[in-house]
């Protein structure tokens, strides 16, 4: 690549230089921000109607102005004091500058009970900001719940606004990002609020697999409200300021007599490490929103769009020599699958999903020669990379997302099998493990598999094997595809035989290598690890035109 | 294989290399890492087959790949592999190696090993056993040096038995004193004491370290010469009574008595002193019938008085700089001498051609006492071999692990120039071009040292680091101009990345009217500070251009017409994000006074407290050993011990919780 900065507007994509000027080098302490009120200039000669003393234009301006400050400056300050941004600040930061097109700014709630009909209880736009905008030029629909208006509680009008943009997103095929910060149902509205939730849930379900749906929990989200994020493709949280739970600590105390804090019950740490409800947690609002932009770059806009390809600076034929030594000689020794992933993908850029939950499997998004891919890998570093209930479910959901949205799947296999034990069997490892098997088998996107070391037993079949329609299956020279490890196998095959060590050596010689799989065509090639990136990039180019259709069905019946 | 070293003295050495003399058919290298690779290279040059030995974790190490044959000699701990004489002797027998090069450290100065080799008729590439014995023992060596009319330091010429003895002797010599392992070297098992209490503590630590490093806990005590320079003379002797001095190496830049930056020649020596030191070194070598390459270390005070410190009867870590200025291949000379050849050169043949600097690049955190070991996997690694007159001696490559088992040295970076200034400026470039990711490394400190005015003027001593950085090394302090350049570069990078994000190929659904941006308002976080800037594409003040892309590990930039090579991590935010960031709460940092975390990866040697104990501020809580150094961890305040999370023998990682106080 010649000179440095390719700017979209310059015809040749190059400019000679870029100049930076430092107007003030003094460190920025606090910027003046941002519930920026519109400069309204009232025209003196505008037409007035007979009702009231304000012209329509003036009333429009007033409403807009009111909508921009939500629940008012006091509540905005309170929101800031909690370390949270306002609904509008969030939208502004998430979207490209000046790209936000707001809808339903004039919608107000329709509740007339409990004094809600009074003017002071009416807020233009109610407790949510909705609209569309762009992230790096790509269309997205957004709703952002406004905690400063009735604690972001969900009224009929609030739900209606969300439903409207979801319907539009479905019509044009664009993702929906929800920024959740809501105290729950608008109790004053009663059943209307519940109906509103249901309307949203229905749309979440209908949109599932049609457009990507992302929830970013940036405040409380409790009760029935949690099911909207739960139905979306990804749920992200903000550390220390966001909570997700069915019932709060008080109810928990009264029902089960457990003492638990909000944070312990439904904080970011709980959901990203224990429950697996959330897919990632970010440090704060700004961090979360900026990361959301990066994350969005990986996604196609809808199931009708191909996996996006971004301009790539990392050579697709780069040899990764460090991989030649990464797998230790002793089969019992661990290594970090993330090292392999980082070294192979473009620019070491890997967006890991659920990095702290079921760490024996690694899933996430990356790019290969600019094209988004989904990566699934067993993690030998944690529990030897075995498959258990949690890792199967984590893997399965990720694989299904990729398949739904045309994202090729690259699977790195080093799996000693399924985790044995009563805890797993009683927990239903059979039906949960089946999910991952099911997901890989039904996927029709390009599937490339690399066996780095162990591929034992049923877990070998599960991990995107040739038999499940893997398009390209590679083995590294260190690969061992077998029913089980040498020791266990020998105890069965040569039960009672004296010289177990010799039998073990024979087994290792025969099975602890890639040949048994390679001679049967179950792996397409045995490749030098250093060439893995190059091969995957080439294969993806070929597989870009892959067409595969599953038999017609109303919908498949994944073992839930 | 050969790419990782470029001999910078080629033009001088050619005549020697044309006709390699018949020496050995096969040499076993009883070492690992860079020095094993270094020796194998000379073997290859001389047409000698090489045998590597390795521990099981080193099975795919560079030296194993380079050698013609390799033998595993045991598990990871050095005592079971690289110090395992039985296994190494077996390896020699099974491979039929005729000679052994021991490198430095490990068995290089082990008389027992040399004896066992001799017993089996295998040549030890190094001095004879009697010389190792004589010089290996610091007490004996001092007596021999005295007899050979070599200047020595006043001190106690005997073994110190107990801590009380140590105190008594120290009082007799007068503080400050140096306590060191009789068998020691490389700064291990060495402590300075300024009073009785420190003497007791030093005695304890040094004897423990000496025992674990050398299997010999004998200690000696001598007068500590304050503010000295450490200058050493390289000698080379054959088995026919000939000996040469190959000029000096200045090794004053040290931390915890371990060398960091070395150069040859020294800025401090005049030709008279150099000759006097050289001649005394040769006298000593001759006195012990020394053969092979060796190093006589001296302390030199500000009046150019020099005192014999010790003689290292092996190849030194920093030998490459001598090779650079003399044009000799020391390993080749050692092999020739071991075979029994006479020296090829006379004293008057030994030149000082130009100047050479060596920086020891370590996997360590320079912000903690000038370097505490760090471990990890070299996720990205690129040596600056694109530059001329740069030699990198390393034994690792991208993907290698720096483990707790071995020395954390990544490489020796050597630059050469006709003048010192040239060599220094080359060193600056080389450090800037060095890419190391995955482990914390000391390049920031190295770069700071070699550009420091005091170092440039040659005003250095072994106390250079503590004097220049009394509060510890805090990293480079950017001047306004440099900071602007860095910020401008960070901005350029940020904008390039932003613009790239908008380039989605073949996707017709990207907005046809992208936001045209020729003006950016950004904010960068640099250290503690936040800096705002306005970026104008085509019009403004700091110009940044260059050939690079977003996948580059190095950024070659032209900033206002000056070429620079940059590697940095600066967080850049849009103006809006920076403004909103001011609302973000600061995460409450852990109260570090009531918890003790391991400052480095290592193993727990001793835990001195148990729950319920009350500790005073500064009282030792536990001792962590990492890379053969014992580090005492102390209480930050007076408190009661709440919980102990570690026990002796356990391996701990950096940041692991060790002890909680109330």
């Amino acid at each position: 690549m010649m000179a440095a900065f390719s700017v979209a507007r310059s015809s040749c994509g190059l400019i000679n230089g870029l100049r930076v000027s430092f107007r003030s080098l003094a460190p920025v302490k606090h910027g003046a921000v941002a519930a920026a009120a519109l400069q309204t200039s009232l025209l003196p000669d505008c037409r007035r109607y007979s009702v009231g003393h304000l012209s329509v234009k003036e009333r429009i301006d007033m409403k807009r102005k009111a909508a921009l400050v939500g629940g008012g400056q006091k509540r905005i300050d309170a929101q800031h004091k909690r370390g949270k941004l306002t609904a509008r600040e969030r939208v502004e930061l998430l979207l490209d500058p000046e790209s936000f097109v707001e809808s339903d700014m004039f919608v107000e709630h329709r509740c007339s009970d409990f004094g809600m009909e009074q003017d002071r209880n009416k807020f233009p736009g109610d407790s949510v900001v909705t609209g569309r905008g762009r992230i790096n030029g790509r269309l997205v629909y957004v709703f952002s719940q406004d905690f400063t208006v009735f604690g972001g509680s969900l009224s009929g009008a609030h739900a209606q606004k969300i439903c409207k943009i979801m319907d539009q997103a479905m019509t044009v095929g664009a993702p929906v990002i929800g920024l959740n910060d809501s105290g729950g149902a608008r109790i004053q509205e009663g059943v209307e609020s519940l109906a509103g939730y249901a309307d949203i849930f229905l749309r979440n379900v209908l949109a599932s697999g049609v457009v990507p749906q992302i929830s970013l929990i940036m405040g409380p989200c409790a009760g029935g409200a949690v099911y909207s994020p739960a139905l979306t493709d990804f749920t992200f949280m903000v550390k220390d300021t966001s909570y997700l739970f069915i019932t709060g600590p008080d109810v928990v105390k009264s029902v089960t007599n457990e003492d638990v804090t909000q944070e312990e019950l439904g904080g970011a740490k709980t959901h990203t490490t224990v429950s697996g409800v959330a897919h990632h947690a970010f440090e704060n609002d700004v961090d979360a929103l900026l990361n959301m932009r990066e994350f969005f770059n990986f996604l196609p806009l809808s199931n009708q769009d191909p996996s996006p390809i971004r301009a790539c600076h990392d050579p697709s034929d780069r040899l990764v020599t460090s991989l030649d030594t990464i797998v230790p000689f002793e089969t019992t020794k661990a290594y970090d699958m993330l090292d392999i992933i980082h070294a192979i993908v473009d620019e070491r850029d890997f967006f890991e999903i659920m990095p702290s939950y079921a760490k024996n499997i690694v899933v996430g998004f990356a790019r290969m020669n600019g094209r988004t891919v989904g990566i699934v890998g067993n993690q030998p570093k944690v529990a030897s990379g075995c498959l258990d209930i949690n890792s199967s479910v984590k893997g399965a959901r990720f694989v299904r997302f990729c398949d739904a949205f045309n994202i090729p799947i690259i699977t790195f296999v080093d799996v000693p099998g399924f985790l044995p034990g009563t805890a797993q069997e009683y927990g239903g490892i059979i039906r949960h493990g089946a999910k991952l098997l099911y997901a890989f088998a039904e996927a029709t996107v390009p599937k490339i598999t690399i066996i780095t070391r162990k591929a034992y037993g049923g877990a070998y079949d599960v991990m995107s094997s040739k038999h499940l329609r893997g398009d390209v299956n590679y083995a590294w020279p260190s690969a061992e595809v077998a029913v089980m490890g040498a020791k266990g196998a020998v105890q069965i095959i040569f039960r009672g035989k004296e010289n177990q060590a010799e039998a073990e050596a024979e087994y290792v010689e025969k099975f602890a290598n890639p040949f048994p799989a390679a001679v049967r065509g179950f792996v397409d090639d045995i490749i030098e690890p250093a060439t893995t990136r190059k091969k995957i990039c080439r294969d993806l180019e070929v597989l870009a035109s892959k067409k595969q259709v599953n038999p017609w069905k109303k919908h498949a019946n994944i073992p839930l | 294989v050969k790419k990782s070293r470029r001999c910078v003295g080629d033009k001088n050495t050619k005549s020697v290399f044309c006709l390699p003399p018949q020496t050995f058919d096969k040499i076993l290298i009883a070492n690992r890492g860079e020095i094993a690779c270094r020796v194998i290279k000379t073997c290859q040059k001389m047409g000698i087959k090489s045998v590597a030995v390795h521990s099981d974790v080193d099975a795919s190490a560079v030296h194993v790949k380079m050698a013609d044959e390799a033998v595993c000699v045991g598990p990871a701990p050095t005592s079971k592999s690289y110090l395992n004489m039985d296994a190494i002797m077996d390896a020699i027998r099974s491979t039929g190696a005729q000679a052994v090069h021991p490198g430095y450290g490990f068995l290089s100065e082990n008389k027992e090993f040399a004896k066992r080799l001799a017993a089996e008729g295998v040549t030890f590439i190094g001095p004879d056993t009697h010389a190792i014995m004589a010089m290996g023992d610091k007490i004996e060596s001092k007596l021999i040096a005295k007899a050979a009319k070599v200047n020595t330091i006043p001190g106690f010429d005997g073994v110190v038995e107990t801590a009380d003895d140590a105190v008594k002797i120290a009082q007799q010599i007068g503080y400050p004193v140096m306590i060191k392992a009789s068998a020691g070297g490389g700064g291990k098992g060495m402590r300075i004491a300024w009073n009785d209490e420190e003497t007791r503590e030093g005695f304890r630590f040094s004897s423990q370290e000496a025992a674990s490093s050398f299997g010999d806990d004998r200690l000696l005590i001598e007068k500590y010469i304050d503010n000295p320079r450490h200058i050493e003379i390289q000698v080379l002797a054959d088995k026919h009574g000939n000996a040469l001095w190959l000029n000096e190496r200045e090794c004053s830049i040290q931390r915890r008595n371990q060398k960091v930056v070395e150069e040859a020649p020294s800025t401090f020596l005049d030709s008279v002193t150099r000759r006097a030191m050289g001649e005394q070194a040769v006298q000593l070598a001759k006195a012990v019938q020394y053969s092979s390459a060796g190093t006589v270390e001296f302390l030199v005070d500000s009046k150019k008085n020099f005192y014999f410190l010790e003689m290292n009867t092996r190849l030194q870590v920093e030998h490459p700089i001598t090779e650079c200025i003399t044009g000799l291949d020391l390993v080749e000379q050692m092999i020739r001498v071991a075979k029994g050849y006479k020296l090829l050169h006379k004293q008057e043949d030994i030149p000082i051609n130009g100047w050479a600097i060596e920086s020891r690049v370590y996997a360590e955190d320079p912000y903690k006492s000038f370097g505490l070991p760090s471990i990890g996997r070299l996720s990205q690694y690129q040596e600056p071999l694109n530059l001329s007159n740069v030699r990198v001696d390393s034994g690792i490559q991208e993907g290698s692990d720096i483990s707790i088992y071995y020395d954390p040295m990544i490489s020796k970076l050597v630059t050469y120039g006709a003048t010192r200034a040239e060599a220094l400026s080359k060193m600056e470039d080389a450090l800037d071009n060095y890419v190391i990711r995955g482990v914390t490394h000391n390049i920031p400190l190295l770069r700071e040292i070699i550009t420091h005015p005091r170092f440039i003027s040659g005003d250095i001593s072994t106390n250079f680091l503590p004097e220049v950085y009394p509060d510890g090394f805090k990293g480079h302090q950017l001047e306004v101009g440099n900071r602007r350049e860095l910020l401008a570069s960070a901005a350029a990078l940020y904008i390039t990345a932003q613009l790239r994000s908008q380039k989605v190929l073949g996707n017709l659904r990207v907005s046809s009217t992208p936001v045209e941006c020729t003006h950016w308002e950004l904010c960068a976080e640099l250290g503690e500070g936040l800096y705002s800037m306005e970026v104008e594409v085509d019009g403004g003040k700091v110009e940044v251009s260059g050939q690079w892309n977003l996948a580059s590990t190095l950024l070659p930039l032209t900033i206002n017409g000056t070429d620079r090579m940059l590697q940095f991590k600066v967080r850049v935010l849009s103006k809006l994000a920076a403004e909103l960031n001011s609302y973000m709460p600061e995460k409450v940092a852990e109260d570090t006074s009531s918890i003790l975390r391991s400052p480095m990866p290592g193993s727990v040697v001793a835990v001195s407290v148990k729950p319920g104990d009350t500790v005073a501020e500064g009282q030792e809580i536990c001792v962590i050993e990492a890379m053969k150094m014992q580090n005492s961890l102390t209480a930050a305040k007076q408190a009661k011990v709440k919980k102990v999370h570690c026990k002796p023998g356990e391996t701990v990682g950096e940041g692991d919780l060790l002890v909680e106080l109330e």
Side-chain angles (χ1 to χ4, degrees), chain A residues 5 19 21 27 173 305 309 313, chain B residues 496 505 509 530 534 536 550:
Chain A
F5 310 103
R19 293 149 199 225
S21 66
D305 291 81
I309 306 176
H313 294 172
Chain B
T496 310
L505 306 181
R509 301 184 65 203
L530 275 176
E534 286 178 43
E536 270 173 51
L550 290 166

Side-chain angles (χ1 to χ4, degrees), chain B residues 280-333:
Chain B
Q280 287 199 8
V282 165
Q283 281 165 31
L284 180 62
K286 286 187 172 163
V288 289
Q289 287 114 53
Y290 197 84
S291 69
S292 193
T295 299
V296 182
E297 295 190 341
F298 291 99
L299 286 183
V300 182
D301 71 15
S302 53
K303 301 188 181 63
K304 292 190 185 160
N305 296 315
F306 56 91
Y307 304 98
F308 169 73
L309 198 58
E310 62 184 23
M311 179 168 187
N312 295 317
T313 56
R314 55 167 156 85
L315 190 64
Q316 291 275 92
V317 177
E318 59 276 20
H319 74 274
I321 51 177
T322 298
E323 296 187 329
C324 282
I325 61 159
T326 60
L328 292 175
D329 178 333
L330 287 177
V331 174
E332 186 186 8
Q333 299 305 319

Side-chain angles (χ1 to χ4, degrees), chain B residues 131-148 150-152 157 180 182 220 222 284 287-288 308-313:
Chain B
I132 300 178
M133 271 161 47
M135 292 295 108
D137 191 302
K138 290 202 170 136
I139 298 162
E140 197 185 336
S141 72
K142 212 166 153 185
L143 296 174
I144 295 173
K146 256 186 193 166
V150 177
N151 308 349
T152 56
D157 303 329
K180 54 186 185 180
S182 177
L220 59 100
E222 65 189 15
L284 180 62
V288 289
F308 169 73
L309 198 58
E310 62 184 23
M311 179 168 187
N312 295 317
T313 56

Side-chain angles (χ1 to χ4, degrees), chain B residues 243-548:
Chain B
L244 300 171
W245 46 275
L246 307 182
N247 300 313
E248 78 281 9
R249 290 185 290 258
E250 162 81 73
C251 311
S252 296
I253 305 293
Q254 306 186 343
R255 50 121 179 78
R256 298 193 308 272
N257 292 314
Q258 280 185 303
K259 298 161 191 168
V260 186
V261 176
E262 300 107 335
E263 62 183 306
S266 164
T267 54
F268 189 59
L269 294 194
D270 50 53
S271 54
V272 178
T273 318
R274 177 175 296 126
R275 172 173 297 273
M277 288 171 74
E279 281 168 358
Q280 287 199 8
V282 165
Q283 281 165 31
L284 180 62
K286 286 187 172 163
V288 289
Q289 287 114 53
Y290 197 84
S291 69
S292 193
T295 299
V296 182
E297 295 190 341
F298 291 99
L299 286 183
V300 182
D301 71 15
S302 53
K303 301 188 181 63
K304 292 190 185 160
N305 296 315
F306 56 91
Y307 304 98
F308 169 73
L309 198 58
E310 62 184 23
M311 179 168 187
N312 295 317
T313 56
R314 55 167 156 85
L315 190 64
Q316 291 275 92
V317 177
E318 59 276 20
H319 74 274
I321 51 177
T322 298
E323 296 187 329
C324 282
I325 61 159
T326 60
L328 292 175
D329 178 333
L330 287 177
V331 174
E332 186 186 8
Q333 299 305 319
M334 288 174 80
I335 294 173
R336 285 187 76 257
V337 166
K339 183 67 186 175
Y341 287 99
K342 278 190 183 171
L343 293 180
L344 281 173
H345 304 83
K346 298 209 163 58
Q347 189 61 49
E348 56 269 29
D349 298 339
I350 305 302
I352 299 183
N353 283 332
W355 214 285
I357 317 264
E358 173 180 283
S359 293
R360 295 196 192 184
V361 181
Y362 277 102
E364 58 184 24
D365 184 351
Y367 306 104
K368 294 182 191 162
S369 9
F370 301 115
L372 284 188
S374 124
I375 55 168
R377 185 172 178 274
L378 291 166
S379 58
Q380 284 175 288
Y381 182 74
Q382 197 180 308
E383 293 173 351
L385 291 167
N386 52 323
L387 304 175
S388 60
N389 286 347
V390 170
R391 164 176 169 174
V392 183
D393 281 20
S394 67
I396 45 97
Q397 60 188 5
E398 191 162 291
S400 293
D401 268 314
I402 307 285
S403 71
I404 56 164
Y405 300 111
Y406 310 114
D407 193 83
M409 191 162 78
I410 295 173
S411 78
K412 303 184 307 204
L413 176 61
V414 179
T415 60
Y416 174 78
T419 61
R420 187 166 186 262
E422 214 177 293
L424 279 175
S425 122
K426 185 62 80 178
M427 180 60 78
E428 208 177 319
D429 284 350
L431 290 169
D432 287 349
N433 276 275
Y434 212 137
V435 179
I436 302 171
R437 308 276 157 81
V439 297
T440 314
H441 56 78
N442 67 339
I443 285 183
L445 175 64
L446 293 171
R447 199 184 185 286
E448 206 57 13
I449 293 169
I450 60 122
T451 53
H452 195 278
R454 256 190 74 180
F455 182 83
I456 291 172
S457 70
D459 173 20
I460 53 176
S461 76
T462 53
N463 296 328
F464 178 84
L465 288 176
E467 278 172 20
V468 173
Y469 310 102
D471 305 320
F473 179 58
K474 303 273 186 244
H476 182 69
Q477 304 304 313
L478 283 172
E479 292 155 26
V480 177
N482 286 341
R483 188 193 302 128
R484 284 186 177 200
E485 291 181 5
L486 176 57
L487 291 173
S489 310
L493 194 64
Y494 173 82
I495 290 168
T496 310
Q498 291 297 310
L499 294 177
R500 199 262 300 263
S501 290
Q502 297 175 6
K503 285 184 123 189
V504 181
L505 306 181
N507 192 333
L508 302 172
R509 301 184 65 203
V510 174
S511 176
S512 56
T513 50
V515 191
E516 278 221 17
C517 219
T518 52
H519 183 97
W520 303 68
E521 288 186 57
L522 302 176
C523 193
E525 290 177 9
L526 193 57
E528 301 279 298
L530 275 176
Y531 300 92
S532 66
M533 52 197 160
E534 286 178 43
V535 179
E536 270 173 51
V537 177
D538 292 339
K541 287 174 190 158
V542 182
E543 280 191 44
V544 184
S545 60
Q547 297 197 1
W548 52 279

